[in-house]
Structures are given as structure tokens and as C-alpha cells.
Amino acid sequence: MTLSIHDDGLDDDAIKARVRRQVEAHGPPQYEIFVETGASLSIDLERGSLKNAEVGRDSGVGIRVANKDGQSAFSYTSQTDPTSIDRVVRTVISTMRMATPDPDFVSFAGTAPAKNLPGGVVFDPSVERLTIDDAVQLVKGTMESALREPDPRVHSVNVSFKASCTRVSVLNSNGIDAREDQSDAMLTCEVTVKDGGEMSSDYDFTSGRDLGRISVDVGGRATRRALKTLGKVRVKTGFYPVVIGTRAVGAVLAGAIASGVNAEVVQQGMSFLGGMIGKQIAPDHFSLIDDPRLESGTRALSCSFDGEGFPTRRKSIVNGGTLETLLHNSYTANKAGVESTGNAARSGYTSPPRISQFNLVVQPRRDHVDHGLLEGIRHGIYFDQTYDSPNLTTGDFSGMIASGFLIEDGVITSPISQANFGVKLLDLFNSIEMYGDELDDRAGIVTPPIRLKGLHVSGSL
Amino acid sequence: MTTDDMQAAVDRATALGAGFCDIRLDSWQGLSLEVMQSRTRNVVSSLGSGAGVRALVGGAWGFATTIDTSRPSLIRCSETAVRLARACTRFVKEDQRFTIPEGAKFASGRDEVTRDGEMDSIAGEDKIKFCLDLDKSARARSMLVKNVVIRFSESFSESAVVNSLGAHIEKSIGTVYALTNVMVKENDVLQSGSEVFSHIGCWNTADPLAVEQTAIAAVDQGLRLLKAKPCPPGAFTIVVDNKLGGVFVHEAMGHACEADSILAGQSILESKVGNRVGNEAVTIVDDGSRRDLFGYMPSDSEGIPSRKTILVKDGVLAGYLHDLETASRMEQQPTGNGRAEGFDCMPQVRMTNTYLEPRDWKPDEIVADTGRGIYCRNWQYGYVEPEKGNFMFKCKEAMMIENGQQTTSLKDVALSGQILSVLHDIDAIGNDFGSSGGMCGKGGQRVRVSDASPHFRIKNVLVGGMDG
């Protein structure tokens, strides 16, 4: 009962070989076979009591085919026995014949010089050897950490741990034949606190490709975070100097830019960043890198090849404030007449490749990094968290500051209650002033906190 | 696979000491496609099956899943589930131990909402042609339409549940979901409009004209937004339409009534049953048995029949939504709200069709009675933090109300509020009723739901607009 993906009897080479024989027998000139096999373990602790433990195994095959007219289709199945494979091949070919011709379709991903990341970067064998008892110790340790400094205001502590191992392999008719084992682990602690009639909550998590990144100290951090959210004050509607905390940078800045340079969205004419390549979209001290080949840190989204088996590479999305590239898969790259950037992304064997970023790294110019990021802010807001997402077509972004704090005379003071924001993203990018000197590395975003000249905030005072 | 194999797996778990065990087996087929720039993209057909076994030992669950549905594999799954539960049992606190008592009323027999073969009764080519025609209809609506993206999906699933309390349930259901997203452009101003069609049953029972109406509505919405101005920030009286009103009820009240968040100490509504939480005109209901709404299901993922559950009655919190576990732990009856996205997920407490009961105002009268406010229509998305008591949602379009008249069109209006106060601020509820179907996410699982309401008015809602 471990997360082994090596002894579960599933032979991805045999599956690929059978699909390939069947497809070639039916004659579509182009095919792509994606095989995934995985095992996962998760465990939840609720208010100090173990609640449930789960293990799951999943595997399947996704097949794309296309003909010379650009008719294409995708089919998948979780059943990898020969009869099911033969059936899904027949299905995908008949489905392809229903599709419209597409003159923009040229080819699935071509081959490029490829080298897998060094062993250990994306796969940690110790995740594969995890047992349920190891997981129990992790969640118990996290709870103990959360309750180490007893505080009567702590109302509930909930902890969850999840780990998974996945083997991904891609083979296509252009000669791509890629395979990689990947592991992930994530430990999350949510703490709810109460003081009189006020109830609040916060969480923290630790995650990465290897168990070495997982620390039960996340419990204590979650408790400290949650306690800081008590005593909320209302703010007045107005224009405030703002520091974007590292938990919010993904939503309001890095992720918003990466979503806006998704070539599929741009080619549909539905991105506010369409037509902005080569143009200045942010101050010259701001750079943003998409780096799937990060070998240090959590490496949350590091991988050697993308969802089409095309080698990944590091690239500047924004360099010195100038927008440098769109993110492409093979379809959008062929349509634009450029090389794929290796950003095809799948959510498993059940999805055809779309486009997504990998690890996003915010790179400030050194002369704009300042330890005293909050200094000089007499009355501002620390924007800690939002769950909103921008309107990519217009570049407008309005939403709720789900967690935020007042900054008074250069110091973070009270948490704020109920505040909304609204901004044009290009204005927000251009209002970046400087960066903190501490990097946070979580969930595929590596960034310092970022100070903006200001943001319109609707308060309830 | 037969239910005999499932029963054998359940028997194995109980023989190993499980106090309760259930097994869920799902199989499905699906077709989805996109039309972009008047061409098909990502035409996807799918086929799959799998099973999940859940065993309860001394108040802890073990859950194991497999895509191999042979009898030996199901039995192995049962053994794993019991072993997992046992690994947790010794760390279950005494006051959190529970078992599933006998006496819960499970559904029985086979419920065929959709029959096997219905999905194939209309050829895939015809569905593709329909989507391409839909694209043409949307484009023909206005010269300002620059792009249309259509996402169509149809699925048919069969599900069986067998448990150690003797329940044997089988059901089959089809669904259709179609999203039309249009981009319109005038004088360098870009806007988008989108509208959704959702349907219980396969395509053979859906109304193509109703889908076409959603595509036209998406274009019209985009055209209106071309003229929209940024919304001023601040606190406003708002009037919401059926679709936004439904999402409001879902986010502002529904999630906080899910009993799993109550037990986890993560809902602001803990210990508030019997308390006044809103104006006495407010009655909020969840009803998975409404066949006309997208959250319909004959029974939930644990085999409990769907039913109507009153959450707020005349402004007073009346109860919570339950699955088997929360009902057992809180000594209540399960309400048929234990839902899992698929065989590989544990059921969670989830809403189905959630709505505010209509009252007596005519919708036009509500607007006419509003001196200054914002009329908010339709939704982009919403979310809630039940543990903090905050919720927020974004509407697709809005109109300023001045002296009872709709005046300026507004865009990107974000609304937020607090669960414990907002229902008190509802002061006019319409006599109409309308719904919208969609997908709701929680704990990594997505399930289909519908939210519905009459038009209604809320005072003092915080609006985050773009206009500083």
C-alpha cells in the first residue's frame, strides 16, 4: 500500500505500442499518444481527530489524431486492456471524421533537442515509499505545531496532507517519445479563530516535488496568520498606497500576465495583451520569467517536457518591462509561424493539451529591491489575498480583498474588513514601484512582495 | 461487474470489522467539443469506469479507488479501505467517534432518468453541425461580433451504490451543457458576452431553440457592455435578477449551511439554528428533487433520495444540509446532499438546487421603488469563505438606478457582503422565479448545481467598481 508507480503492472510502453499499431492500421497520418499512471494518498485531520485516509490509483490513455485536412479529435479512456484500447482508437478516428477541416493545423509537436531534468528534480523516490503511518505522523505533527502556543481564541484546526506519484509518457508520429516520473506533496493547515462575536480564519501550506520541502511547522505559521486576522477594522473608500503580498502576486500580477499571453486566447482576439508583444507593459525594473526547468526551491511545476512531449524551456515573458513572448503549444505556434514555447498543458490523460505557464518567477532589478518596503507608507493597505480573476478580454480587474491589513506609518497593523478593489491591469502593472527582499516560493510562483503606487479600494466605513 | 461483486466487496469490509461500508461504481461516456473561429477544435469522446470503496471503522473513514472493476479488485479495494481506516482509528477523539445508524431511508431499485443508448440516438455529426449553426446565428446577430467560442458537452453516466445497510441503488442520467462566449468590438472597445444552457437528459431531449436563445443573449449582452461605464465604488442598494439572485443565495447562505463545515468549526452559522438570520420574508430552500433544475438527481452519491430541505424559514435558520456522516454525528436525518464528483472522490455535503422562495413584489416595481441603486444581472462567478463570513460575486452586467429608472450601463461590478448581516438587508422580494445551472467547486470536486430566485433588493452592499 504505497504510492509505487513502478510495480503496479501497467506497462506504458505496451499500451503505446498497441495504440500505435491500431492507429497506423487505420491510417491517420498523425497521432499523439499520452499515457499516464498515478497513485495518490491523502489524509485529513479535523479538529484534532483523524477523519479519513484515501488511496487511489488512476491510469489511462488519451489519443489525438489528425489527417491532412486538419480534421482532428481526441479520445481517452481509463480502461487500458487491449479490447478497450482498440475501441477507443476506433472512436477517435470516427470522431476525427466528424470534425471540420482546419487549415491552421499543421502538425503535432515536432522533435527538438531534449534532455530530461536531472533525477530528483521532479521525482522524489521517498514520496513513492510513503506509508499511511508516515502521513498520520505528518498531520499529527502539524496539528501539534498549530497548538504549540495555546490560545483560547483558536476555535478549530484542520490539517490535510496529499501526495502523489505520476508517470507521464508521450509518443507521437513526429518522433517524440518522452517519459518522466513526477511526485508531489502538499501539507495544508487551516486555523479558525474566534474572539467574542468575531470569527476569522487563515491557512498556510507547504508543497513541492519532494518530501524535504514538507514541514509540520506550517501548523504554527497557520495559527499565527489566523490570529493576526482578528480585530478587523473598516476602511474608507479611497486611493491607497498598496503592497501586494506574495500570496496575491499570482492572481493580480504574475498569473494575470501569464493568462493574458496564452496564445490561444490571444489568437481568439480575447486578450487585453494581444498586440502588445514588443511593447512596454510595466516599469523597466520589472521582469517575469516562465521557468519549467527550475531545479531549486519547491519546483512545484518543474517538468522536462510539456503536455505534447515537447521539451520545456525557460523564457522571459516580460523583460525590463517589455512583453517578450506569448506562451504557445504546437497548434498556436504553427498558426503563428513560430516555434512552440513548450507550454502545452494537460490536466491528465482526460484532457487534450491546452496552454499554461509553469513556474513563474518575478525578477526585480536589484536597484528596486528594498528591505524597508513598507517604510514611508503612512496610511496604506497590505493586499494579502484575493480569489478573484481578471476579465482577460478587457484587462479590467475588480474583486474582493479576501485578506488585507492596514499599513500605518510603515508598519502592518489591523486586519481590514470587507474591502473591494477595481483596477485596469495595465495601470496596475505600471504602478509597480519597488520590491521586498524576501522571496516566497509557493504553488508555482516565486516572488517578493511588491509595492504599488496605489489602488482604488472600496471600503465599508 | 454485477451488484453481486459489489456486495462481495462490502461483505469483505464488514467481515474485517468495518462498522459501515459502501461501494460506488460509475461508468460514463462523454462527447465535448469547441467551435472557435467557425471551426471545430478539441472534439473529445470519452469512455470510462471505476469504483470507490469507503469503510468506516470507529469514526474514521478509509477510502480506496480502482479503475479495475473485477470482483478480486473490488475486494482488494475493500481490504485497503479497512486498513486505511484502522490506521486512523486510534487517533479519533472520543467525542468525534460515530457510526452510521440503521434506519436511514435509502433509495431502492433502478432510476433511469436517461436510458442507455439515448446519447447515441443522435449522431455526433449532427451535434457538431448544430454547434456550427449556433456559431453562424451568433455572428449573424451583429456586425460587431468578432469571434464566437462555443463549448458543448454531453455526458451519460450510470452509477450503482451498494452498502452494508442493505441498500442497492442504480441510476443513470444524462446532461448537456453549452456555453456561448462572444467577443464584440466597436471603435477599439472590446467586450465579451457569455451565456450558458444546461439540461438534464441527453441531447435528444434538449430544446435546440433554447440553446440558440442563449447564444443570441450572449451577443446582446456583449453589445450592451460596449456602452457600459465603469462602476463607482462604495455601498449601494442593489436589485438582483433571477440568475444573480440565485448565485447570491448559493454563496451568501448555502455554503455556510453545509454541515461538514459546521462540524469542522469552519462556518459562521455554527450553533445558530433557531436564530434569526434575516428579514422574515426570507425563506431559502435546497431541493435536489426538482427535475426541472440542473442540480437534479434522484438520489445522492450515498443512495439517499433527493428531497426539499428548508435552510432558512421566514428569516430564521432552520437547519443544515447533511450527508450520512454529518447527519449521524449531529443526530439528524440525512438530507440527500452527500455528493461526489466521481467514483474516485469521497462524498461531501453539497448543494443541489438552491433558491429563495418568491414573495409578492413585481420585478418592475422593485426597480421603480428604488431611488438610487444598481440593478445587477447575471453572474460571472462567486465564492464564499464560510469561516470568515464573507462572500463575493461578480455580475456580468449592471445598470445604474436613479429615481426608479434604469440609466447608465455599468461593467465589471464586484459585490461583497457578510453572511450574518446581508439577509437582514433584503427588503423587497419579487413574485417571479428563474434559475441558472452551473458547476460548483469545493474541496477539489466539481458538481452540477442550479441556483434560482425571484428578483430582490438588498440595501447597503459593498460594490468594488473600476471608477476611482
Side-chain angles (χ1 to χ4, degrees):
Chain A
M1 202 168 63
T2 64
L3 298 183
S4 172
I5 45 173
H6 294 103
D7 55 10
D8 63 357
L10 190 92
D11 182 345
D12 56 331
D13 281 336
I15 293 170
K16 285 187 290 189
R18 183 162 191 102
V19 174
R20 181 183 202 157
R21 272 200 310 278
Q22 289 293 317
V23 175
E24 286 176 348
H26 288 83
Q30 294 215 34
Y31 56 84
E32 176 194 81
I33 307 161
F34 182 92
V35 183
E36 187 183 59
T37 179
S40 65
L41 179 156
S42 68
I43 184 162
D44 295 304
L45 182 142
E46 179 183 294
R47 289 181 141 173
S49 181
L50 274 176
K51 182 172 161 56
N52 57 272
E54 305 177 27
V55 295
R57 289 197 168 274
D58 192 12
S59 58
V61 56
I63 306 165
R64 271 204 303 172
V65 292
N67 65 15
K68 60 180 172 24
D69 297 325
Q71 287 177 291
S72 68
F74 173 80
S75 290
Y76 68 86
T77 182
S78 58
Q79 310 299 308
T80 50
D81 58 282
T83 311
S84 298
I85 286 177
D86 295 356
R87 183 174 167 187
V88 76
V89 169
R90 285 195 303 275
T91 303
V92 73
I93 290 167
S94 63
T95 308
M96 175 190 80
R97 292 185 179 129
M98 297 183 228
T100 52
D102 185 350
D104 289 328
F105 175 85
V106 179
S107 165
F108 292 136
T111 54
K115 199 172 164 198
N116 273 16
L117 287 159
V121 171
V122 295
F123 183 74
D124 172 12
S126 63
V127 177
E128 197 177 23
R129 291 193 295 268
L130 257 180
T131 66
I132 188 66
D133 292 327
D134 298 332
V136 167
Q137 292 310 315
L138 275 173
V139 293
K140 282 189 70 225
T142 305
M143 181 194 67
E144 284 157 15
S145 162
L147 298 173
R148 187 153 297 140
E149 292 159 26
D151 191 308
R153 294 172 297 171
V154 172
H155 179 62
S156 70
V157 174
N158 295 291
V159 183
S160 64
F161 173 72
K162 178 163 186 168
S164 63
C165 292
T166 311
R167 167 170 291 180
V168 177
S169 61
V170 191
L171 177 140
N172 79 10
S173 49
N174 292 335
I176 277 185
D177 190 358
R179 176 199 270 174
E180 188 161 72
D181 293 343
Q182 300 171 350
S183 58
D184 289 290
M186 183 168 186
L187 179 63
T188 306
C189 182
E190 295 175 70
V191 177
T192 302
V193 288
K194 258 181 161 176
D195 193 9
E198 186 183 10
M199 185 161 169
S200 192
S201 176
D202 208 338
Y203 70 92
D204 206 343
F205 68 89
T206 161
S207 69
R209 292 283 193 197
D210 66 317
L211 278 182
R213 306 291 310 184
I214 301 298
S215 161
V216 298
D217 296 343
V218 72
R221 288 207 303 273
T223 299
R224 288 190 291 277
R225 275 187 188 276
L227 288 170
K228 281 184 189 160
T229 64
L230 283 171
K232 287 192 179 66
V233 296
R234 294 170 177 230
V235 293
K236 284 184 181 162
T237 296
F239 187 74
Y240 291 84
V242 162
V243 172
I244 307 281
T246 55
R247 292 201 293 188
V249 167
V252 303
L253 195 63
I257 295 174
S259 302
V261 294
N262 177 323
E264 185 171 284
V265 180
V266 170
Q267 289 178 359
Q268 299 298 320
M270 290 185 168
S271 170
F272 72 108
L273 291 176
M276 302 288 276
I277 296 293
K279 294 187 178 158
Q280 195 81 18
I281 64 155
D284 61 4
H285 47 75
F286 176 81
S287 295
L288 178 67
I289 316 290
D290 175 48
D291 192 354
R293 302 191 79 87
L294 267 186
E295 294 187 21
S296 59
T298 66
R299 316 179 302 279
L301 299 172
S302 292
C303 56
S304 302
F305 52 87
D306 72 0
E308 297 182 302
F310 194 78
T312 54
R313 65 178 171 84
R314 182 178 192 271
K315 66 206 76 79
S316 279
I317 298 175
V318 180
N319 188 9
T322 302
L323 192 64
E324 290 212 321
T325 186
L326 301 182
L327 303 179
H328 284 285
N329 61 16
S330 67
Y331 179 89
T332 61
N334 286 331
K335 186 171 173 175
V338 299
E339 190 182 49
S340 170
T341 57
N343 284 88
R346 296 188 197 244
S347 48
Y349 66 88
T350 61
S351 99
R354 308 199 81 98
I355 294 174
S356 186
Q357 72 273 15
F358 294 95
N359 302 299
L360 291 177
V361 183
V362 173
Q363 276 199 337
R365 204 169 65 207
R366 287 302 315 167
D367 60 357
H368 278 70
V369 176
D370 190 345
H371 178 67
L373 192 65
L374 274 56
E375 279 173 20
I377 299 181
R378 201 178 59 77
H379 190 64
I381 285 175
Y382 188 87
F383 187 154
D384 179 39
Q385 181 106 292
T386 182
Y387 302 109
D388 289 288
S389 50
N391 180 333
L392 285 183
T393 305
T394 62
D396 293 339
F397 192 9
S398 57
M400 178 170 80
I401 299 177
S403 172
F405 297 86
L406 277 182
I407 302 170
E408 293 172 297
D409 296 325
V411 178
I412 291 177
T413 57
S414 305
I416 58 173
S417 142
Q418 248 211 310
N420 292 3
F421 65 95
V423 66
K424 284 196 166 303
L425 281 173
L426 288 172
D427 292 344
L428 184 144
F429 303 156
N430 278 304
S431 75
I432 297 172
E433 273 186 335
M434 61 168 108
Y435 312 80
D437 61 354
E438 282 186 26
L439 283 182
D440 192 16
D441 174 359
R442 59 170 69 223
I445 310 267
V446 183
T447 184
I450 298 174
R451 177 165 156 178
L452 307 180
K453 286 193 190 95
L455 193 64
H456 288 291
V457 172
S458 316
S460 54
L461 189 63
Chain B
M1 183 288 310
T2 66
T3 51
D4 287 348
D5 297 332
M6 296 170 75
Q7 186 65 55
V10 167
D11 292 346
R12 180 69 182 145
T14 47
L16 289 170
F20 173 82
C21 170
D22 64 6
I23 175 166
R24 214 155 15 91
L25 191 142
D26 292 342
S27 61
W28 69 91
Q29 69 176 109
L31 172 71
S32 66
L33 66 103
E34 295 164 1
V35 172
M36 293 180 183
Q37 291 166 328
S38 305
R39 299 197 285 257
T40 58
R41 286 287 314 280
N42 295 321
V43 184
V44 178
S45 52
S46 61
L47 197 64
S49 60
V53 180
R54 195 168 63 145
L56 181 66
V57 182
W61 293 105
F63 182 59
T65 66
T66 179
I67 49 172
D68 175 358
T69 55
S70 66
R71 179 184 286 228
S73 165
L74 298 184
I75 288 174
R76 269 199 308 279
C77 249
S78 273
E79 292 165 349
T80 303
V82 173
R83 210 155 56 229
L84 288 168
R86 283 199 185 287
C88 298
T89 302
R90 62 200 165 101
F91 300 110
V92 176
K93 282 174 151 180
E94 201 52 47
D95 62 349
Q96 284 170 250
R97 285 181 187 272
F98 71 99
T99 188
I100 307 295
E102 291 188 26
K105 290 189 178 64
F106 291 96
S108 61
R110 183 170 174 81
D111 214 322
E112 280 190 342
V113 181
T114 306
R115 289 187 309 282
D116 190 13
E118 282 192 58
M119 187 167 158
D120 297 323
S121 67
I122 294 180
E125 286 92 334
D126 292 339
K127 295 165 191 170
I128 288 175
K129 182 171 181 311
F130 172 80
C131 291
L132 293 168
D133 288 344
L134 196 62
D135 171 82
K136 281 189 198 138
S137 303
R139 286 173 187 275
R141 182 76 172 168
S142 166
M143 297 287 286
L144 301 179
V145 173
K146 298 301 169 199
N147 196 14
V148 177
V149 175
I150 291 162
R151 296 200 162 91
F152 173 94
S153 66
E154 181 186 22
S155 71
F156 172 74
S157 63
E158 293 181 282
S159 182
V161 179
V162 171
N163 73 25
S164 58
L165 294 176
H168 282 73
I169 302 127
E170 292 176 63
K171 60 183 174 182
S172 58
I173 194 162
T175 59
V176 177
Y177 193 79
L179 168 78
T180 304
N181 191 8
V182 301
M183 195 200 71
V184 291
K185 191 176 182 187
E186 185 177 35
N187 303 329
D188 287 336
V189 177
L190 269 180
Q191 266 299 346
S192 59
S194 64
E195 197 56 77
V196 161
F197 169 83
S198 58
H199 173 71
I200 295 287
C202 284
W203 182 239
N204 59 313
T205 60
D207 176 7
L209 280 178
V211 189
E212 194 173 335
Q213 281 164 7
T214 61
I216 299 298
V219 176
D220 292 350
Q221 182 194 108
L223 295 175
R224 284 193 296 270
L225 285 170
L226 281 174
K227 314 236 177 293
K229 302 273 186 294
C231 175
F236 286 88
T237 294
I238 64 165
V239 177
V240 297
D241 77 342
N242 306 125
K243 291 179 178 174
L244 186 63
V247 170
F248 172 91
V249 170
H250 177 108
E251 300 297 351
M253 207 61 195
H255 277 297
C257 289
E258 293 166 340
D260 52 352
S261 63
I262 303 284
L263 284 170
Q266 292 182 320
S267 170
I268 198 114
L269 293 181
E270 186 178 343
S271 307
K272 295 240 172 1
V273 170
N275 288 16
R276 176 159 295 284
V277 292
N279 183 307
E280 63 182 18
V282 173
T283 292
I284 294 173
V285 165
D286 182 85
D287 188 353
S289 69
R290 288 270 307 244
R291 177 74 170 81
D292 57 328
L293 299 175
F294 194 56
Y296 167 74
M297 52 192 189
S299 57
D300 70 3
S301 303
E302 299 178 315
I304 298 291
S306 296
R307 64 171 225 194
K308 180 173 177 176
T309 303
I310 296 177
L311 302 176
V312 177
K313 173 77 174 162
D314 302 331
V316 174
L317 186 66
Y320 303 127
L321 297 175
H322 288 285
D323 62 9
L324 281 177
E325 174 183 337
T326 64
S328 303
R329 289 172 62 184
M330 296 172 82
E331 297 181 347
Q332 299 287 314
Q333 287 300 312
T335 56
N337 291 85
R339 303 180 67 184
E341 179 180 328
F343 72 89
D344 52 349
C345 304
M346 289 262 285
Q348 301 172 307
V349 182
R350 305 300 297 268
M351 282 173 270
T352 57
N353 304 305
T354 313
Y355 57 89
L356 175 70
E357 297 265 18
R359 292 282 172 170
D360 47 8
W361 285 70
K362 289 182 184 161
D364 291 350
E365 288 174 353
I366 301 179
V367 173
D369 184 66
T370 303
R372 185 165 190 270
I374 300 175
Y375 176 40
C376 300
R377 296 172 64 184
N378 215 329
W379 56 276
Q380 293 181 38
Y381 64 81
Y383 60 83
V384 62
E385 299 178 281
E387 68 282 13
K388 290 187 192 168
N390 293 331
F391 64 88
M392 111 86 151
F393 44 80
K394 262 194 204 179
C395 48
K396 276 187 180 154
E397 47 180 331
M399 295 289 281
M400 202 73 196
I401 304 172
E402 288 162 301
N403 298 320
Q405 302 288 320
Q406 295 184 45
T407 55
T408 317
S409 179
L410 303 171
K411 62 179 179 178
D412 286 291
V413 179
L415 311 167
S416 70
Q418 295 189 311
I419 294 170
L420 288 182
S421 64
V422 75
L423 297 187
H424 293 284
D425 289 331
I426 294 178
D427 70 348
I429 299 179
N431 59 6
D432 59 326
F433 189 75
S435 71
S436 65
M439 303 300 287
C440 169
K442 171 177 165 180
Q445 298 187 43
R446 284 163 62 79
V447 296
R448 61 187 159 77
V449 295
S450 142
D451 306 320
S453 84
H455 277 72
F456 62 95
R457 183 171 66 192
I458 320 165
K459 294 178 295 184
N460 202 29
V461 172
L462 188 63
V463 171
M466 299 289 303
D467 183 14

